Amino acid sequence: MKINGTPYRSVWVDENDGWSVHIFDQTRLPFALEVMRLVSQDEVAHAIRTMQVRGAPLIGAVAAYGLALALRTDAQDAALEDNAAMLAATRPTAINLRWAIERMLTHLRPLPPAERAQAAYAEAARICDEDAAQNEAIGRHGLELLRAIADRHGPDRTINILTHCNAGWIATVDWGTALAPIYMAHDAGLKVHVWVDETRPRNQGAALTAWELGSHGVPHTVIADNAGGHLMQHGQVDIVIVGTDRVTRSGDVANKIGTYLKALAAQDNAVPFWVALPSTTIDWTVDDGIKEIPIEERAAGEVTHVAGRDPQGKVTQVQITPDGTNAANPAFDVTPARLVTGLITEKGRCPASQAGLLSLFPELG
Ligand SMILES: CSC[C@H]1O[C@H](OP(=O)(O)O)[C@H](O)[C@@H]1O
């Protein structure tokens, strides 16, 4: 996507040295756009763990480059396996991370060590190109849903979309998943407005989705996470579109904490609830998402403290709970397939079910 007219992806290899890896430090947004230069697998792992880089498809792509960085130093079998395992363990819920590392291992294991680093960079680049293309296709398939709403209500009626967390271009290599249809609708001249869940505790909506949409000129309003149901009850939401970190073969959807509650409110108010994902987010080995998907438990400090900019323009953390108060911080929840209207993938839309997924991806069966 473009920032001030200049096209960017969310991860890229330095064109001067040809090997260091660049990302945006997402913990500095929306107040500063800072590029980080990563030069080792340990720096990549730290960036993923601390959410300087986050978003299911993007952490997979960046971890792939993390393995390439590791192989520059030691390309022997033991180092390959150890660094792959270390990177795959940085965050447990997004399946894209494990998928990317396993794809890299499948590609690299058969090669002589001397060829592995260069081959790793090439495979990581393919993962990035594929993600960008898949998300652009998701945009096209999701745009059809928004066009149908516009056709139903007329071109002068604004389409109100609610989204949770950040599933935009900054959560992927490019385009985003949930936001891709919104960008395309806006660019096609449809009147869209986005209700942006702030998405406590890390505020990916308030800090990242609002920044993305504002940068692209898409009308949007940040709301408290608990406001979405009220807006749906009052006819203020035409459709919900969210991203996901893992979809099971039965269509259960793991996504940022709070997604499940939005799906319940959507069903109660007959609001379509769509989930956008590339096929790299499907975990065919898992059936019951609630029982089988590991939910990341993050530090209590992310709940007891909040980051922001003070009146002097300094970005700082402030405590919002009494000293000594306990906090729990499950970072994801699972929305059962029965609450999902449908899935928007790079190959089209389908019901959130095994049959629906197989209709688009028969090779997974
Ligand atoms: C396009 S996937 C984005 C997905 O990842 C986010 O999680 P996190 O910010 O913790 O990496 C969130 O669940 C988004 O829906």
Side-chain angles (χ1 to χ4, degrees), residues 153-350:
H153 294 301
D156 297 330
R157 169 41 165 94
T158 297
I159 303 166
N160 287 300
I161 306 150
L162 185 143
T163 195
H164 190 71
C165 198
N166 172 257
W169 74 270
I170 201 92
T172 68
V173 173
D174 203 346
W175 280 105
T177 56
L179 296 193
I182 296 169
Y183 288 129
M184 290 189 179
H186 173 78
D187 292 348
L190 273 64
K191 289 181 72 175
V192 294
H193 166 265
V194 184
W195 297 112
V196 177
D197 277 358
E198 61 178 343
T199 316
R200 287 278 295 143
R202 288 297 298 260
N203 297 325
Q204 289 94 325
L208 302 177
T209 298
W211 173 78
E212 280 199 39
L213 295 175
S215 301
H216 203 77
V218 179
H220 61 284
T221 306
V222 173
I223 56 174
D225 289 324
N226 297 322
H230 163 74
L231 292 169
M232 294 182 207
Q233 285 175 325
H234 290 268
Q236 295 296 306
V237 180
D238 296 303
I239 186 172
V240 176
I241 308 179
V242 299
T244 174
D245 298 79
R246 189 182 312 209
V247 172
T248 72
R249 63 172 179 262
S250 57
D252 291 348
V253 171
N255 196 47
K256 186 53 51 191
I257 193 77
T259 303
Y260 168 51
L261 297 179
K262 286 298 142 26
L264 286 171
Q267 185 180 66
D268 193 51
N269 292 280
V271 173
F273 184 92
W274 287 84
V275 179
L277 68 141
S279 52
T280 52
T281 309
I282 302 168
D283 183 353
W284 202 254
T285 69
V286 169
D287 183 60
D288 184 327
I290 293 171
K291 289 180 182 170
E292 300 180 73
I293 296 177
I295 299 298
E296 181 182 19
E297 185 73 33
R298 294 190 63 88
E302 294 183 350
V303 177
T304 59
H305 293 67
V306 67
R309 183 173 62 187
D310 69 15
Q312 288 69 46
K314 181 175 180 293
V315 176
T316 187
Q317 289 261 354
V318 293
Q319 184 171 323
I320 60 173
T321 56
D323 293 340
T325 291
N326 291 330
N329 187 11
F332 299 92
D333 60 25
V334 176
T335 299
R338 60 181 168 81
L339 297 176
V340 179
T341 305
L343 305 174
I344 309 168
T345 79
E346 70 271 21
K347 288 196 175 176
R349 302 186 302 276
C350 70

Side-chain angles (χ1 to χ4, degrees), residues 48-49 59 87-98 245-246 254 283 292-298 331-332:
I48 294 171
R49 289 192 196 100
I59 61 178
L87 288 161
T90 48
R91 293 188 76 190
T93 304
I95 190 63
N96 313 64
L97 176 57
R98 199 176 77 197
D245 298 79
R246 189 182 312 209
D283 183 353
E292 300 180 73
I293 296 177
I295 299 298
E296 181 182 19
E297 185 73 33
R298 294 190 63 88
F332 299 92

